[in-house]
Amino acid sequence: MCGIVGYIGEENAADIIYKGLERLEYRGYDSAGIALVSQSGEVEIRRSVGKLNRLGANLVKNPLVGKVGIGHTRWATHGKPSEENAHPHTDETKSIVIVHNGIIENYAELKNMLQKEGVTFKSETDTEAVVHLIKKYYKGNLLQAVQTALKEIKGSYALVIIDKNNPDRIVCARLDAPLIIGIGENENFIASDIPALLPYTRKMMFLENGDIAEITKDKISVLDKKNNPCEREIKTILWDAVQAEKGGYKHFMLKEIFEQPRTIEDTFKGRIYPEEGRVYIEEAKLEADFLNKLSKVYIVACGTSYYAGLVGKILIENFARIPAEVDTASEFRYRDPICDNSLIIVISQSGETADTLAALRLAKEKGCPTLAVCNAVGSSLSREAHHVIYTHCGPEIGVASTKAFTGQLTALYVLALDWAAKKESMSKEMLKKYLKELWEIPLKVSEFLKKADSVQEIAKIFTNKRDFLYLGRNVNYPVALEGALKLKEISYIHAEGYPAGEMKHGPIALIDERMPVVAIAPKGKVYEKMLSNIEEAKARGGTVIAVVSEKDEIIKQKSDYQIFIPETDEYLSPIMAVIPLQLLAYYIAVILGCDVDQPRNLAKSVTVE
C-alpha cells in the first residue's frame, strides 16, 4: 500500500527520490521520509507527518545531498501516523536504513525476541523489527544479513535497504508486494510502481516473489527464492511520463475521466474488426475446444473491479452462453471453490491487489486455468496468470478509479464477443452489430464530456445531502453500485447502490424528501421497470436524478433532474452511464472542499490484507 523509491548513481538522490514519491503519493499519504548516505559518509534522514509537501518543505529547510538513498510515502497499518512511525527506519547505530511496503505478520514475536537481547525500539511499526533483525546478522555484508533475516520473517514485504558502510549498493527484496528496478546509464532506480520511474527510464525489471537483488549504479544482481542467481526480463514501458501528470486539469481524477474516450479505444484497438465481424485477442488465445468444455467461469476481484466483474458475468452469460459467478476476492480466497472445468478471471487495475493475487494462487493450486484483466504491464497478476488481457489505460493516479473501470468493461465486452464468435453462440450479423456499437463508444463518450458542465450544475444542488440511493437494473445495477462507491470514496457522503427491483424489500423505507435517488435508466429491456421504480420513489417524496438516453421525454416528465447520455446498445450502456456518475461524485467532492485525488483512509492499490 505504501510507496517506495530508491536511487543510486551520480545525481543527487534526494531530488530524484522526492520527485518519484510525488508520483507515488496515491499509494499512501499519512507520512513520508527520505534517507541517504551523505557526502560525509553518515546516514541522514528527513521525515514528516502528513502529505508529501510537508516533507518537501522540510527538505527546503534542511537539504539532503548524496548519491544513494531511499524514500517512502506511508499508508499506516501498524502504528498511527507520526514522525516516529514514518519511514525510513534505522537500527540503533544508524548505519542500516530500511523502507518497507507490506505487513510483517510475526513482528510481535521478533520484537519481543530483540528486546530481550537489549534492542530499543523507537516506533510502533512492524518494519522496525526487520531493520534490527538485519543488524543482528550483519557481519559486513548487507546482502548476506538480509538473506539470513528474511528466513525468520513471515508476511508480505517489499524491502529496500542501504548501509552506510557499503554506500555503493542497495539491497532489495519482495514477497507479495510489488518492486520494480529501473535501469539507467551509470544509475539505477527502485520503485513500487512504474510512474515513479518514467521521467528517468523506460527500461524496467520486475522482481518475482522471493527475489533478492543487489544494485549498484552499473550492475543488478538478482537471486531467486532459492538464492540462485537468475536473470529477470527487462521490459520497455511505452507509457508516456506526461500521462502521469495533470496536464492542466485541476485533479488527476478529472483528467482521467476526460481521458476515457482514448483509453476505451486503446483497450479495443487492434482487437476488434467491425466490418469483418472479427475479434482477435493476441494475449488470451482460448480456443473453441477449451470454451465448449467450460462448465463455469469465476470472476474474482475487489472494489470497482468487482463491479466490472458483475457486468462481465452478464456479458459472458448472454453472449458466450457460459455460466458465470462473481466473487469478492477477499471471500473467494478463504473458500474451497469447485474448480472442475472452470476458468478463473481475476480483475485488477494495479495487478498487485493482495486478495486478488491470493485468489489467483488458490485457483492455480487447484489446477484451474486463469485469465487476468489488468492495466499494469509486468505486475504480479499479469505475470502469474496463464493468460492476460491488458486494458492499456496508462497510469491511473487518482485513488478513485475511473478510466480503469471503463477499460475493464471494454476488455470484458471484447472477451465475451470473442468467446461468442468462437462458440458460434451469436450470429455473424449480431457480432458485427455489437462490434460497431463498441467502435462508436469513444466518440459518444467524447460528445457527452463536452456537456460535463450540466452535471456540475446538478452537483451544486445536492452538496448539502448526506445520503444518496442509487438504483439500477440488469446490466446497470453494477453501475449503481459503482456510482455510489465513487460518491462515498471522495465526498464522504453515505450512498448505497441497489437493484431497483429490491426497493420494496427494504430500501423504499429510506426514501423521503431528504433522500436523493439516482436512477440509471437508459433505453433497454428493463426501461419500463425503471420507470415504475422512479414513480415509486417520487410517490414517497424522493428527489430523482435520472441518467437517461438522449431525447427521452417520458422520464423527463417523471424525474426532477435528468442527465442525458448518447443512446447505445443496452449491453454497452454501463460504459456510457457510469461517466456522469463519476462526474457527479467529482463535482460534489470539489464543492465540499474534499481532497479528490487522495481521499482520507484510502490508497490506490491495496497490497496488504
Side-chain angles (χ1 to χ4, degrees):
M1 191 76 82
C2 308
I4 289 172
V5 181
Y7 174 79
I8 185 166
E10 296 299 328
E11 303 297 324
N12 183 29
D15 296 337
I16 290 170
I17 292 167
Y18 183 79
K19 289 174 183 175
L21 291 176
E22 285 184 317
R23 294 176 176 84
L24 292 186
E25 196 176 8
Y26 59 86
R27 295 182 65 91
Y29 30 89
D30 293 328
S31 60
I34 293 176
L36 51 73
V37 180
S38 69
Q39 294 171 314
S40 66
E42 295 299 318
V43 168
E44 291 194 39
I45 299 176
R46 305 287 184 267
R47 301 187 296 188
S48 298
V49 180
K51 294 196 173 181
L52 191 64
N53 57 10
R54 294 190 180 181
L55 176 64
N58 189 350
L59 289 169
V60 170
K61 293 180 181 178
N62 304 287
L64 287 172
V65 179
K67 296 183 178 181
V68 57
I70 54 179
H72 187 273
T73 182
R74 181 174 186 245
W75 187 77
T77 53
H78 290 82
K80 63 183 181 296
S82 68
E83 189 168 334
E84 293 77 16
N85 291 331
H87 296 219
H89 292 287
T90 72
D91 70 299
E92 289 182 287
T93 65
K94 209 175 178 182
S95 60
I96 298 174
V97 193
I98 191 171
V99 290
H100 168 224
N101 173 29
I103 292 178
I104 306 303
E105 295 173 1
N106 63 332
Y107 89 98
E109 300 165 34
L110 295 173
K111 183 174 182 178
N112 185 51
M113 175 194 73
L114 290 163
Q115 285 176 325
K116 287 180 178 177
E117 294 175 3
V119 175
T120 301
F121 280 70
K122 297 177 182 177
S123 78
E124 304 168 288
T125 67
D126 53 342
T127 304
E128 192 182 354
V130 180
V131 73
H132 291 309
L133 192 64
I134 293 170
K135 177 61 176 177
K136 174 182 175 178
Y137 294 117
Y138 182 78
K139 307 296 181 187
N141 186 310
L142 181 62
L143 176 62
Q144 290 179 359
V146 172
Q147 288 175 304
T148 305
L150 289 180
K151 293 176 184 176
E152 298 188 29
I153 291 172
K154 297 176 183 177
S156 62
Y157 53 78
L159 300 169
V160 184
I161 310 110
I162 58 175
D163 169 22
K164 76 172 186 179
N165 297 310
N166 292 274
D168 61 340
R169 64 200 60 229
I170 300 173
V171 173
C172 59
R174 69 149 292 190
L175 182 68
D176 295 337
L179 208 54
I180 300 163
I181 297 173
I183 299 150
E185 292 186 13
N186 295 316
E187 61 183 0
N188 286 308
F189 311 81
I190 307 163
S192 299
D193 205 352
I194 291 169
L197 306 184
L198 284 175
Y200 310 107
T201 181
R202 292 179 183 229
K203 293 181 178 179
M204 311 277 182
M205 179 187 292
F206 298 84
L207 294 181
E208 300 283 349
N209 254 353
D211 282 356
I212 301 175
E214 187 175 58
I215 303 165
T216 67
K217 68 178 183 178
D218 50 22
K219 185 179 179 182
I220 299 165
S221 302
V222 181
L223 301 174
D224 65 19
K225 59 186 177 183
K226 295 181 179 179
N227 285 325
N228 296 319
C230 64
E231 298 289 332
R232 295 295 179 220
E233 182 184 358
I234 297 172
K235 295 190 176 184
T236 300
I237 303 302
L238 300 179
W239 292 353
D240 189 335
V242 175
Q243 287 183 286
E245 304 296 340
K246 289 182 184 176
Y249 288 91
K250 186 176 181 180
H251 298 98
F252 280 113
M253 182 178 178
L254 187 62
K255 171 180 177 279
E256 288 154 6
I257 289 172
F258 274 80
E259 285 177 341
Q260 287 174 111
R262 178 179 55 78
T263 56
I264 292 166
E265 182 178 353
D266 286 348
T267 298
F268 69 63
K269 192 165 56 178
R271 291 171 171 164
I272 68 168
Y273 302 87
E275 296 302 320
E276 303 171 34
R278 184 166 64 89
V279 184
Y280 178 70
I281 307 174
E282 184 177 4
E283 316 99 302
K285 296 175 181 177
L286 300 176
E287 300 303 331
D289 287 347
F290 173 82
L291 296 169
N292 285 323
K293 292 175 184 176
L294 283 181
S295 60
K296 182 183 287 189
V297 172
Y298 289 96
I299 304 174
V300 183
C302 298
T304 287
S305 298
Y306 170 75
Y307 300 149
L310 291 173
V311 177
K313 166 188 166 67
I314 296 170
L315 298 177
I316 289 169
E317 290 187 340
N318 281 273
F319 292 174
R321 307 309 297 161
I322 301 172
E325 183 176 315
V326 189
D327 263 295
T328 53
S330 57
E331 292 297 323
F332 182 89
R333 63 179 294 191
Y334 296 111
R335 291 194 4 235
D336 186 16
I338 301 168
C339 292
D340 297 343
N341 300 318
S342 297
L343 171 72
I344 307 293
I345 299 176
V346 286
I347 308 173
S348 170
Q349 187 281 138
S350 68
E352 302 293 349
T353 307
D355 287 321
T356 308
L357 277 168
L360 171 75
R361 290 164 186 161
L362 172 63
K364 290 178 72 176
E365 285 172 13
K366 288 180 166 289
C368 187
T370 57
L371 185 152
V373 177
C374 185
N375 186 39
V377 176
S379 62
S380 298
L381 203 73
S382 67
R383 295 198 309 273
E384 294 185 32
H386 295 108
H387 308 275
V388 61
I389 299 176
Y390 288 113
T391 53
H392 300 307
C393 292
E396 186 178 67
I397 306 302
V399 167
S401 186
T402 51
K403 65 178 181 176
F405 179 70
T406 51
Q408 289 164 355
L409 293 180
T410 304
L412 290 166
Y413 197 85
V414 172
L415 182 70
L417 289 174
D418 177 50
W419 290 2
K422 287 172 178 173
K423 293 190 67 192
E424 298 181 354
S425 56
M426 178 184 291
S427 69
K428 194 79 167 180
E429 290 71 25
M430 286 301 294
L431 181 62
K432 286 183 177 180
K433 171 186 175 294
Y434 286 129
L435 291 175
K436 184 175 183 293
E437 290 278 358
L438 178 57
W439 191 269
E440 294 172 352
I441 281 289
L443 179 60
K444 292 180 178 180
V445 172
S446 182
E447 287 300 313
F448 173 77
L449 287 170
K450 292 176 183 177
K451 306 170 187 175
D453 288 350
S454 64
V455 182
Q456 187 174 18
E457 292 305 310
I458 292 174
K460 291 175 183 177
I461 299 167
F462 291 95
T463 52
N464 64 335
K465 301 297 183 181
R466 301 311 305 160
D467 300 280
F468 276 72
L469 184 63
Y470 286 68
L471 299 176
R473 281 180 179 264
N474 193 31
V475 76
N476 279 306
Y477 161 51
V479 176
L481 294 170
E482 173 63 8
L485 177 63
K486 285 290 141 308
L487 191 65
K488 284 183 279 195
E489 284 180 315
I490 63 172
S491 72
Y492 319 135
I493 293 172
H494 172 251
E496 295 296 336
Y498 275 95
E502 291 293 297
M503 279 182 67
K504 295 187 183 71
H505 298 277
I508 200 166
L510 296 170
I511 297 175
D512 60 19
E513 65 280 357
R514 295 170 296 178
M515 170 75 81
V517 177
V518 181
I520 300 105
K523 290 291 177 64
K525 65 182 179 183
V526 294
Y527 174 75
E528 298 294 337
K529 298 292 184 183
M530 283 302 301
L531 275 180
S532 297
N533 295 134
I534 289 170
E535 289 175 336
E536 288 170 348
K538 288 294 296 175
R540 273 79 183 173
T543 301
V544 176
I545 306 166
V547 177
V548 295
S549 302
E550 283 177 334
K551 300 176 183 177
D552 186 336
E553 294 298 323
I554 298 174
I555 286 190
K556 189 174 182 179
Q557 296 170 13
K558 295 179 181 294
S559 56
D560 300 280
Y561 302 91
Q562 303 82 37
I563 302 173
F564 293 102
I565 59 174
E567 191 167 345
T568 187
D569 182 82
E570 182 175 14
Y571 288 115
L572 269 170
S573 62
I575 299 177
M576 284 301 320
V578 76
I579 291 169
L581 304 185
Q582 295 169 348
L583 287 168
L584 183 66
Y586 171 79
Y587 287 126
I588 288 175
V590 169
I591 294 166
L592 290 173
C594 300
D595 192 334
V596 170
D597 286 333
Q598 298 172 351
R600 68 188 183 205
N601 302 332
L602 297 177
K604 183 66 182 171
S605 179
V606 184
T607 58
V608 295
E609 232 186 304

